[in-house]
Amino acid sequence: MIDRRKFITKTALGTVAVGTLYSCVDNGIKPHDPQQKNGAVKEGEKKVKKPVLISTWNHGLPANEEAWKTLKNGGSGLDAVEAGVKVAEADPKVSSVGYGGWPDRDGKVTLDACIMDHEFNCGSVAFLQNIKHPISVARKVMEKTPHIMLVGEGAKQFALEQGFKEENLLTPEAEKAYREWLQKSEYKPVINIENHDTISMLAIDENGDLSGACTTSGAAWKVHGRVGDSPIIGAGLFLDNEVGSAAATGLGEAVIRTSGSAMVVELMRQGKSPYEACKEIVERIHKIYRNRPDLEYLQIGFIALNKQGEYGAYCLRPGFNYAVYDEEHGNRLIDGEYEIS
Ligand code: ASP
Protein backbone atom coordinates (compact mmCIF):
# COMPACT_ATOMS: atom_id res chain seq x y z
CA MET A 1 0.00 0.00 0.00
CA ILE A 2 1.37 3.40 -0.88
CA ASP A 3 1.91 5.63 2.09
CA ARG A 4 -0.49 8.57 1.95
CA ARG A 5 2.23 11.15 2.36
CA LYS A 6 4.37 9.62 -0.37
CA PHE A 7 1.28 9.39 -2.51
CA ILE A 8 0.52 13.07 -2.08
CA THR A 9 4.07 14.06 -2.86
CA LYS A 10 4.17 11.84 -5.92
CA THR A 11 0.86 13.03 -7.20
CA ALA A 12 1.65 16.66 -6.56
CA LEU A 13 4.92 16.34 -8.42
CA GLY A 14 3.19 14.53 -11.19
CA THR A 15 0.43 17.03 -11.70
CA VAL A 16 1.74 20.45 -10.79
CA ALA A 17 2.56 22.58 -13.78
CA VAL A 18 6.18 23.64 -14.16
CA GLY A 19 6.76 27.23 -13.23
CA THR A 20 3.85 27.47 -10.84
CA LEU A 21 4.63 27.73 -7.19
CA TYR A 22 2.13 26.02 -4.95
CA SER A 23 2.14 26.24 -1.25
CA CYS A 24 1.27 23.15 0.75
CA VAL A 25 0.51 25.30 3.74
CA ASP A 26 -2.25 27.66 4.48
CA ASN A 27 -0.43 30.96 3.86
CA GLY A 28 -1.86 32.17 7.14
CA ILE A 29 -5.43 31.67 6.11
CA LYS A 30 -7.63 29.60 8.33
CA PRO A 31 -10.04 27.25 6.61
CA HIS A 32 -12.75 29.27 8.27
CA ASP A 33 -12.70 32.45 10.27
CA PRO A 34 -14.25 32.99 13.71
CA GLN A 35 -16.87 35.24 12.19
CA GLN A 36 -18.00 32.36 9.98
CA LYS A 37 -18.17 30.06 12.99
CA ASN A 38 -20.90 32.31 14.35
CA GLY A 39 -22.97 31.83 11.23
CA ALA A 40 -23.00 32.98 7.65
CA VAL A 41 -22.63 36.66 6.98
CA LYS A 42 -25.76 38.13 5.40
CA GLU A 43 -25.46 39.55 1.91
CA GLY A 44 -25.01 43.28 2.09
CA GLU A 45 -23.29 43.17 5.48
CA LYS A 46 -19.95 42.19 4.03
CA LYS A 47 -18.41 42.52 0.62
CA VAL A 48 -18.89 39.37 -1.45
CA LYS A 49 -15.54 37.72 -2.18
CA LYS A 50 -15.33 36.62 -5.81
CA PRO A 51 -14.18 34.79 -7.70
CA VAL A 52 -13.31 31.91 -5.40
CA LEU A 53 -12.61 28.27 -6.25
CA ILE A 54 -12.46 25.37 -3.83
CA SER A 55 -11.76 21.79 -4.76
CA THR A 56 -10.99 18.50 -3.06
CA TRP A 57 -7.55 16.95 -2.48
CA ASN A 58 -4.16 17.94 -3.80
CA HIS A 59 -5.21 17.34 -7.39
CA GLY A 60 -7.40 20.36 -6.75
CA LEU A 61 -4.33 22.60 -7.12
CA PRO A 62 -3.71 22.13 -10.86
CA ALA A 63 -7.48 21.89 -11.38
CA ASN A 64 -7.97 25.27 -9.68
CA GLU A 65 -5.17 26.71 -11.78
CA GLU A 66 -6.95 25.75 -15.00
CA ALA A 67 -10.34 26.88 -13.69
CA TRP A 68 -8.92 30.24 -12.63
CA LYS A 69 -7.42 30.73 -16.10
CA THR A 70 -10.82 29.94 -17.61
CA LEU A 71 -12.51 32.56 -15.41
CA LYS A 72 -9.88 35.16 -16.22
CA ASN A 73 -10.36 34.50 -19.93
CA GLY A 74 -14.02 35.38 -19.57
CA GLY A 75 -15.42 31.89 -18.96
CA SER A 76 -18.41 31.37 -16.71
CA GLY A 77 -18.20 29.55 -13.40
CA LEU A 78 -19.60 26.50 -15.15
CA ASP A 79 -16.90 26.65 -17.83
CA ALA A 80 -14.32 27.00 -15.09
CA VAL A 81 -15.37 24.02 -12.99
CA GLU A 82 -15.64 21.83 -16.08
CA ALA A 83 -12.20 22.87 -17.37
CA GLY A 84 -10.72 22.48 -13.88
CA VAL A 85 -11.83 18.96 -13.11
CA LYS A 86 -10.91 17.85 -16.63
CA VAL A 87 -7.26 18.29 -15.62
CA ALA A 88 -7.64 15.51 -13.05
CA GLU A 89 -9.70 13.39 -15.45
CA ALA A 90 -6.92 13.53 -18.05
CA ASP A 91 -4.03 12.93 -15.63
CA PRO A 92 -2.95 9.27 -15.67
CA LYS A 93 -1.25 9.76 -12.30
CA VAL A 94 -4.54 10.56 -10.57
CA SER A 95 -5.66 7.03 -9.83
CA SER A 96 -9.11 7.95 -8.56
CA VAL A 97 -10.50 10.03 -11.43
CA GLY A 98 -10.95 9.49 -15.19
CA TYR A 99 -8.02 8.20 -17.26
CA GLY A 100 -5.72 6.18 -15.00
CA GLY A 101 -8.49 5.59 -12.48
CA TRP A 102 -8.30 2.26 -10.71
CA PRO A 103 -10.82 -0.25 -11.98
CA ASP A 104 -13.61 -2.22 -10.35
CA ARG A 105 -13.21 -5.84 -9.26
CA ASP A 106 -13.75 -6.97 -12.86
CA GLY A 107 -10.90 -4.78 -14.10
CA LYS A 108 -13.20 -2.19 -15.71
CA VAL A 109 -12.76 1.56 -15.20
CA THR A 110 -16.24 2.95 -14.61
CA LEU A 111 -16.77 6.66 -14.16
CA ASP A 112 -19.32 8.86 -12.37
CA ALA A 113 -19.69 12.64 -12.74
CA CYS A 114 -22.12 15.50 -12.35
CA ILE A 115 -22.26 19.24 -12.93
CA MET A 116 -24.65 21.95 -11.77
CA ASP A 117 -25.15 25.65 -12.51
CA HIS A 118 -26.69 28.63 -10.73
CA GLU A 119 -30.13 28.07 -12.28
CA PHE A 120 -30.64 24.51 -11.02
CA ASN A 121 -29.59 23.10 -14.39
CA CYS A 122 -27.74 19.88 -13.82
CA GLY A 123 -26.42 16.89 -15.70
CA SER A 124 -24.95 13.60 -14.66
CA VAL A 125 -23.49 10.35 -15.93
CA ALA A 126 -22.88 7.17 -13.98
CA PHE A 127 -21.22 3.84 -14.68
CA LEU A 128 -19.78 5.31 -17.88
CA GLN A 129 -16.94 3.39 -19.50
CA ASN A 130 -14.24 4.26 -22.06
CA ILE A 131 -14.94 7.99 -22.23
CA LYS A 132 -12.16 10.14 -20.83
CA HIS A 133 -14.16 13.21 -19.81
CA PRO A 134 -17.37 12.17 -18.05
CA ILE A 135 -17.80 15.73 -16.74
CA SER A 136 -18.17 17.03 -20.29
CA VAL A 137 -20.68 14.29 -21.09
CA ALA A 138 -22.60 15.29 -17.95
CA ARG A 139 -22.64 18.87 -19.20
CA LYS A 140 -24.01 17.69 -22.56
CA VAL A 141 -26.73 15.73 -20.75
CA MET A 142 -27.63 18.97 -18.99
CA GLU A 143 -27.57 21.09 -22.14
CA LYS A 144 -28.81 18.74 -24.86
CA THR A 145 -31.41 16.53 -23.22
CA PRO A 146 -34.51 17.09 -21.09
CA HIS A 147 -32.98 14.67 -18.54
CA ILE A 148 -30.51 14.91 -15.71
CA MET A 149 -28.88 11.51 -15.50
CA LEU A 150 -27.75 8.90 -18.03
CA VAL A 151 -26.05 5.66 -17.03
CA GLY A 152 -23.98 2.84 -18.46
CA GLU A 153 -24.36 1.88 -22.11
CA GLY A 154 -26.98 4.57 -22.67
CA ALA A 155 -24.62 7.23 -21.36
CA LYS A 156 -21.85 5.92 -23.60
CA GLN A 157 -24.12 5.83 -26.65
CA PHE A 158 -25.13 9.42 -25.94
CA ALA A 159 -21.48 10.45 -25.53
CA LEU A 160 -20.55 8.89 -28.88
CA GLU A 161 -23.48 10.66 -30.55
CA GLN A 162 -22.13 13.91 -29.11
CA GLY A 163 -18.72 13.31 -30.69
CA PHE A 164 -16.78 11.90 -27.72
CA LYS A 165 -14.28 9.20 -28.64
CA GLU A 166 -14.14 5.74 -27.15
CA GLU A 167 -10.76 4.96 -25.59
CA ASN A 168 -9.10 2.57 -23.19
CA LEU A 169 -8.81 4.27 -19.79
CA LEU A 170 -6.98 1.47 -18.00
CA THR A 171 -3.36 2.56 -17.84
CA PRO A 172 -0.55 0.00 -17.39
CA GLU A 173 -0.04 1.34 -13.83
CA ALA A 174 -3.72 0.87 -12.95
CA GLU A 175 -3.68 -2.59 -14.48
CA LYS A 176 -0.62 -3.50 -12.43
CA ALA A 177 -2.33 -2.32 -9.24
CA TYR A 178 -5.37 -4.35 -10.20
CA ARG A 179 -3.31 -7.52 -10.80
CA GLU A 180 -1.73 -7.09 -7.37
CA TRP A 181 -5.11 -6.60 -5.77
CA LEU A 182 -6.46 -9.70 -7.56
CA GLN A 183 -4.05 -11.90 -5.65
CA LYS A 184 -6.14 -11.42 -2.51
CA SER A 185 -9.26 -9.91 -4.09
CA GLU A 186 -10.16 -8.33 -0.81
CA TYR A 187 -12.43 -5.32 -0.96
CA LYS A 188 -11.76 -2.77 1.72
CA PRO A 189 -12.58 0.86 1.12
CA VAL A 190 -9.33 1.90 2.79
CA ILE A 191 -9.47 5.50 3.89
CA ASN A 192 -7.37 8.35 2.60
CA ILE A 193 -5.47 6.47 0.00
CA GLU A 194 -5.48 6.19 -3.70
CA ASN A 195 -8.49 3.91 -3.94
CA HIS A 196 -10.94 6.77 -3.77
CA ASP A 197 -10.30 10.48 -4.01
CA THR A 198 -12.94 12.21 -6.08
CA ILE A 199 -12.35 15.69 -7.41
CA SER A 200 -15.18 18.06 -6.60
CA MET A 201 -14.90 21.74 -7.42
CA LEU A 202 -17.11 24.66 -6.39
CA ALA A 203 -16.91 28.15 -7.85
CA ILE A 204 -18.32 31.59 -7.31
CA ASP A 205 -17.64 33.57 -10.48
CA GLU A 206 -17.25 37.29 -11.22
CA ASN A 207 -21.06 37.65 -11.35
CA GLY A 208 -21.43 36.07 -7.94
CA ASP A 209 -23.00 32.95 -9.45
CA LEU A 210 -22.28 29.52 -8.06
CA SER A 211 -21.51 26.35 -9.96
CA GLY A 212 -20.02 22.96 -9.21
CA ALA A 213 -18.60 19.80 -10.72
CA CYS A 214 -17.75 16.40 -9.34
CA THR A 215 -16.00 13.50 -11.11
CA THR A 216 -14.53 10.17 -10.04
CA SER A 217 -13.68 6.61 -10.91
CA GLY A 218 -15.25 5.79 -7.55
CA ALA A 219 -14.00 3.26 -5.07
CA ALA A 220 -11.34 1.00 -6.53
CA TRP A 221 -12.24 -2.72 -6.69
CA LYS A 222 -15.94 -1.93 -6.23
CA VAL A 223 -18.57 -4.38 -7.42
CA HIS A 224 -19.09 -3.97 -11.17
CA GLY A 225 -22.10 -1.67 -11.58
CA ARG A 226 -21.63 0.16 -8.26
CA VAL A 227 -22.44 3.86 -8.45
CA GLY A 228 -21.30 6.17 -5.67
CA ASP A 229 -22.47 9.56 -4.48
CA SER A 230 -20.47 11.57 -7.00
CA PRO A 231 -22.97 11.61 -9.91
CA ILE A 232 -25.97 12.07 -7.61
CA ILE A 233 -27.22 15.63 -7.36
CA GLY A 234 -27.85 16.27 -3.67
CA ALA A 235 -25.34 13.64 -2.54
CA GLY A 236 -21.93 14.26 -4.16
CA LEU A 237 -22.80 17.81 -5.21
CA PHE A 238 -25.51 20.37 -4.61
CA LEU A 239 -25.99 24.10 -4.86
CA ASP A 240 -28.61 26.73 -4.54
CA ASN A 241 -27.54 30.06 -5.98
CA GLU A 242 -29.41 31.92 -3.23
CA VAL A 243 -27.47 30.16 -0.50
CA GLY A 244 -24.32 28.23 -1.34
CA SER A 245 -22.79 25.08 -2.72
CA ALA A 246 -21.33 21.89 -1.31
CA ALA A 247 -19.57 18.76 -2.50
CA ALA A 248 -18.32 15.54 -1.01
CA THR A 249 -15.51 13.06 -1.16
CA GLY A 250 -15.02 9.84 0.71
CA LEU A 251 -17.19 6.78 1.10
CA GLY A 252 -20.06 7.43 -1.30
CA GLU A 253 -22.47 5.13 0.51
CA ALA A 254 -22.25 7.33 3.61
CA VAL A 255 -22.88 10.47 1.57
CA ILE A 256 -25.89 8.98 -0.23
CA ARG A 257 -27.36 7.74 3.07
CA THR A 258 -27.44 11.29 4.38
CA SER A 259 -28.05 13.32 1.18
CA GLY A 260 -24.81 14.93 2.28
CA SER A 261 -24.26 17.91 -0.01
CA ALA A 262 -27.90 18.93 -0.07
CA MET A 263 -27.91 18.89 3.73
CA VAL A 264 -24.80 21.08 3.90
CA VAL A 265 -26.54 23.65 1.68
CA GLU A 266 -29.71 23.48 3.79
CA LEU A 267 -27.68 24.09 6.95
CA MET A 268 -26.11 27.15 5.32
CA ARG A 269 -29.64 28.32 4.45
CA GLN A 270 -30.42 28.12 8.16
CA GLY A 271 -27.52 30.46 8.88
CA LYS A 272 -24.58 28.14 9.41
CA SER A 273 -21.23 29.06 7.94
CA PRO A 274 -19.74 26.70 5.31
CA TYR A 275 -17.41 25.27 7.97
CA GLU A 276 -20.19 24.75 10.51
CA ALA A 277 -22.48 23.16 7.93
CA CYS A 278 -19.79 20.69 6.77
CA LYS A 279 -18.96 19.88 10.39
CA GLU A 280 -22.55 19.15 11.32
CA ILE A 281 -23.00 16.66 8.47
CA VAL A 282 -19.73 14.91 9.23
CA GLU A 283 -20.86 14.59 12.86
CA ARG A 284 -24.20 13.20 11.70
CA ILE A 285 -22.46 10.61 9.53
CA HIS A 286 -20.12 9.72 12.36
CA LYS A 287 -23.10 9.13 14.64
CA ILE A 288 -24.79 6.88 12.07
CA TYR A 289 -21.60 4.84 11.60
CA ARG A 290 -20.59 4.73 15.26
CA ASN A 291 -21.76 1.16 15.76
CA ARG A 292 -21.17 -0.10 12.25
CA PRO A 293 -18.16 -2.32 11.46
CA ASP A 294 -17.32 -0.15 8.44
CA LEU A 295 -16.55 2.86 10.70
CA GLU A 296 -12.98 1.59 10.68
CA TYR A 297 -12.68 2.38 6.97
CA LEU A 298 -14.80 5.47 6.86
CA GLN A 299 -13.44 8.75 5.62
CA ILE A 300 -15.71 11.56 4.53
CA GLY A 301 -14.91 15.13 3.59
CA PHE A 302 -17.15 18.02 2.59
CA ILE A 303 -16.26 21.34 1.05
CA ALA A 304 -18.65 24.29 0.89
CA LEU A 305 -18.75 27.78 -0.54
CA ASN A 306 -21.50 30.26 0.22
CA LYS A 307 -23.02 33.14 -1.68
CA GLN A 308 -20.65 35.59 0.04
CA GLY A 309 -17.60 33.75 -1.25
CA GLU A 310 -16.82 32.27 2.16
CA TYR A 311 -15.55 28.72 2.15
CA GLY A 312 -15.16 25.92 4.64
CA ALA A 313 -14.53 22.21 4.87
CA TYR A 314 -14.56 19.42 7.40
CA CYS A 315 -13.73 15.73 7.41
CA LEU A 316 -14.01 12.71 9.64
CA ARG A 317 -10.32 11.83 9.98
CA PRO A 318 -6.99 13.49 9.31
CA GLY A 319 -5.64 13.16 5.80
CA PHE A 320 -8.17 15.12 3.80
CA ASN A 321 -7.03 18.34 2.16
CA TYR A 322 -8.53 20.83 -0.24
CA ALA A 323 -7.34 23.58 -2.57
CA VAL A 324 -8.63 27.14 -2.47
CA TYR A 325 -7.95 29.88 -5.03
CA ASP A 326 -8.89 33.52 -4.54
CA GLU A 327 -7.51 36.93 -5.52
CA GLU A 328 -6.11 37.68 -2.11
CA HIS A 329 -4.09 34.56 -1.41
CA GLY A 330 -3.73 32.71 -4.72
CA ASN A 331 -3.88 28.95 -4.93
CA ARG A 332 -3.07 26.91 -1.84
CA LEU A 333 -3.66 23.54 -0.23
CA ILE A 334 -5.29 23.41 3.20
CA ASP A 335 -5.55 20.48 5.59
CA GLY A 336 -9.11 19.72 6.57
CA GLU A 337 -10.11 19.96 10.21
CA TYR A 338 -11.38 16.63 11.46
CA GLU A 339 -13.65 14.91 13.90
CA ILE A 340 -11.64 11.87 15.07
CA SER A 341 -8.04 10.81 14.74
N1 ASP B 1 -17.15 9.49 -3.22
C1 ASP B 1 -16.51 8.60 -4.15
C2 ASP B 1 -17.30 7.33 -4.28
O1 ASP B 1 -17.72 6.80 -3.27
C3 ASP B 1 -15.11 8.29 -3.84
C4 ASP B 1 -14.30 9.33 -3.08
O2 ASP B 1 -14.50 10.51 -3.20
O3 ASP B 1 -13.41 9.01 -2.31
O4 ASP B 1 -17.43 6.85 -5.37
Side-chain angles (χ1 to χ4, degrees), residues 56-57 96 112 187 192-193 195-200 214-220 222 226-231 236 248-256 299-301:
T56 52
W57 303 106
S96 49
D112 298 337
Y187 177 69
N192 275 343
I193 63 158
N195 78 355
H196 53 98
D197 279 356
T198 298
I199 183 155
S200 303
C214 180
T215 177
T216 191
S217 51
K222 62 194 172 187
R226 181 262 191 188
V227 169
D229 60 313
S230 306
T249 181
L251 190 68
E253 284 73 8
V255 181
I256 297 172
Q299 172 63 310
I300 283 290

Side-chain angles (χ1 to χ4, degrees), residues 8 19 58 93 147 152 171 192 211 215 227-229 233 240 297 326:
I8 289 177
N58 58 323
K93 291 184 204 75
H147 310 305
T171 58
N192 275 343
S211 46
T215 177
V227 169
D229 60 313
I233 299 293
D240 180 330
Y297 306 117
D326 58 21

